[in-house]
Amino acid sequence: MTSYAEKLYLRRAAMNFAALAMSGVATAFGLFWLVWILWTTFSNGVSAMKLSLFTEMTPPPGSDGGLLNAFVGSLMMSGLALAIGTPIGIAAGTFLAEYAKRSVLGETIRFVNDILLSAPSIVMGLFVYALVVKTTGHFSGYAGALALAFIVLPVVVRTTDEMLQLVPNQMREAALALGVPQWKVTLQVLYRSALPGILTGFLLAFARISGETAPLLFTALNNQYWASDMSKPMASVPVVIFQYAMSPYDSWHALAWAGAFIVTLFVLALSILSRAVLRRAKTL
Amino acid sequence: MTTELLPDPSMGIDDARARHDARADGFFRGLIGTAGIFVLLSLFGAAAAMLWGGREAFQTFGWHFFTSTDWDAVRHQFGALVPVVGTLITALIAMLIAVPVSFGIALFLTEVAPLWMRGSVATAVELLAGIPSIIYGMWGLFVFVPVMANTVNPWLTTHLGPLPFLGPLFRGPPLGIGMLTAGIVLAIMVIPFISSVMREVFLTVPSTLKESAYALGSTKWEVVWRIVLPYTRTAVIGGIFLGLGRALGETMAVTFVLGNAHKLTVSLLEPGNSIAATIANEFTEADSDIYLSSLVALGFLLFVVTFIVLAIAKLMLRQIERREGNV
């Protein structure tokens, strides 16, 4: 081998080694921050855990209390948001997969839906503010739920569309050949087959809205007291975390960490569950 | 269908049934079609509602709204320049850090890591992408800001501050909060997004292409740089734009660490503001119509910018989906 070829070879090998080593470093770097963040949340959250979190209301400045009204508010608003967003999302996803297909209308809706999926959530809050809060004249739990519903919608549309497209065409053809009308094919054959996938979308949407803060800031606002009336301002865990973390009181900081810890656990559990459901769906 | 609409006494039970089914089918189609149109309308409804809500600000200040650095609730003078610049700078810092790191992670997870490691690390990264942004913001405020204030900012000021051109960027009080901190927290947040898109895109490269390159004696790096990256270029840029869209519109992660200061500074270490953080901080405190309208107008700006960025991302990612469909 000439010395030139040898040099070239060595240079290429060195370049290769350096690049691959850097990729390992980048992965370690990326994971380092994420592990640090999780660790901070867990250690601060665990030390702030106590039973009164679930039995007491959010406290006035500087004193001790729990997060009960925030948990209830979050669950009620998320529940309503899912109740509004999921059926509309499933219907729209079905329209895309079964009727619109690759037509211009279908592709346009898909495009718009994908943009909604990544659009800043604060924008949805402003939208619902203009739509509901401004017209009714006051903040309310309903407005918060509606803002969350607009975040649920694109997630469910996307997964329903994708999952229905995975259903083998033979199923549609077999059912249609028996003379079953298309709406019945959809409801009784396709949904049954795509159910785990659609459930995944539901769980992902639930995980997504559990930690959403921005759209609630000026729709549901906040409420320091017990409130199960959704036509009034309502507390939610993320907004309480935001408010308490920005405050100067240590007891509020502890509550914020406890809330953050529970929300993180909840979101991780939902994501893992949705993955498990999806994996089972794909092996079936 | 040749059957007439009037009921025919000779019509058999099958005809009645077919008619019933056709009606039910039409109804079902109409119902889900409406839901589909609703998705379309919700995006345009959001845009229209914000344009409407911000009309007072646009009318009052005109083009001045985009060029003014004023933000004075007492004199009712509002301009979008400070938050717009803040949004762009924090997003730029985030992308400068996140893009190379995400590329490294995607490269590691598709070509370098041992097989047993790839799936689990990729899953972990994707799970972390789902952590609510408020957690990143809290961590930023309580953990990262002190680190920046005590260690990183003083170091930057003493070592980079005296430099001729870049220097002014790194001079400032060691507060910890500011553009640089917000940019770094945003970068940490978008790394999981960009790296999982890149990883998925890299996996679409046909192995015949890569194997041909290996057979000609290419090193792994040469295969990635000369085969994988050119093949996936548009989709990789699409993934980057997707992350940029997130970074531009992110609210909670930056609100905590940006400092909510309405002034234009050269220094990255000074507190600043972004569109989303301004809205989040001030919306419930807005005490006049023009104040509120200016905030909604800011939201409209943010919406338009993210719409454009996400549309570009979508169009670029679509190319690889189409190619995948053909292979």
Side-chain angles (χ1 to χ4, degrees), chain A residues 12 16 27 114 129 183 275, chain B residues 25 126 217 221-222 292 314:
Chain A
R12 287 175 56 211
N16 184 46
T27 308
D114 279 353
Y129 174 84
W183 68 273
R275 271 160 190 282
Chain B
D25 258 346
E126 274 170 35
W221 170 247
E222 284 163 348
L292 210 56
K314 187 66 203 144

Side-chain angles (χ1 to χ4, degrees), chain A residues 13 40 51 64 75 116-117 119 149 201 210 216 280:
Chain A
T40 309
L51 200 64
D64 215 11
L75 282 179
L116 276 178
L117 196 62
S210 307
L216 294 175
R280 248 197 61 197

Side-chain angles (χ1 to χ4, degrees), chain A residues 77-78 80-86 88-90 112-128 142-159 200-219 238, chain B residues 38-39 42-43 46 130 132-133 246 249-252:
Chain A
M77 283 192 280
S78 302
L80 184 60
L82 289 166
I84 299 169
T86 313
I88 301 178
I90 292 179
V112 163
N113 190 64
D114 279 353
I115 290 194
L116 276 178
L117 196 62
S118 337
S121 54
I122 195 163
V123 164
M124 286 300 141
L126 282 178
F127 175 35
V128 172
Y142 289 121
L146 192 62
L148 293 180
F150 276 112
I151 294 166
V152 170
L153 182 68
V155 181
V156 177
V157 171
R158 175 88 189 249
T159 35
T200 311
F202 174 84
L203 292 170
L204 281 177
F206 195 8
R208 177 107 192 257
I209 60 171
S210 307
E212 277 292 355
T213 321
L216 294 175
L217 285 174
F218 24 82
T219 51
Chain B
F38 181 78
V39 174
S42 60
L43 186 81
S133 56
R246 291 250 167 201
E250 179 45 47
T251 313
M252 301 325 290

Side-chain angles (χ1 to χ4, degrees), chain A residues 12 15-16 19 23 27 34 36-37 40-41 91 99 114 123 126 129 182-183 218 221 238 241-242 264 267 275, chain B residues 24-25 28 32-33 42 45 50 104 108 126 128 130 134-135 138-139 143 217 221-222 252 276 283-284 292 303 314:
Chain A
R12 287 175 56 211
M15 183 69 203
N16 184 46
S23 81
T27 308
L34 297 166
W36 189 4
I37 290 169
T40 309
T41 311
Y99 289 87
D114 279 353
V123 164
L126 282 178
Y129 174 84
Q182 195 168 0
W183 68 273
F218 24 82
L221 203 67
I241 295 174
F242 177 53
T264 308
V267 168
R275 271 160 190 282
Chain B
D25 258 346
F28 184 68
I32 64 172
S42 60
M50 279 187 293
F108 184 78
E126 274 170 35
L128 292 169
I134 193 165
I135 310 293
M138 261 186 98
W139 171 85
V143 181
W221 170 247
E222 284 163 348
M252 301 325 290
F283 203 83
T284 46
L292 210 56
F303 182 78
K314 187 66 203 144

Side-chain angles (χ1 to χ4, degrees), chain B residues 186-261:
Chain B
L186 273 182
I188 298 169
M189 236 199 86
V190 295
I191 283 173
F193 285 108
I194 304 182
S195 59
S196 50
V197 174
M198 279 193 189
R199 176 183 157 268
E200 275 170 28
V201 163
F202 285 175
L203 288 175
T204 64
V205 179
S207 51
T208 44
L209 276 185
K210 292 198 281 183
E211 278 159 18
S212 313
Y214 280 126
L216 291 172
S218 297
T219 63
K220 234 172 207 177
W221 170 247
E222 284 163 348
V223 169
V224 170
W225 194 246
R226 299 199 180 148
I227 307 294
V228 174
L229 213 50
Y231 186 86
T232 55
R233 194 185 294 122
T234 43
V236 165
I237 297 172
I240 293 172
F241 270 74
L242 206 60
L244 180 61
R246 291 250 167 201
L248 287 170
E250 179 45 47
T251 313
M252 301 325 290
V254 293
T255 304
F256 279 102
V257 294
L258 210 39
N260 198 29

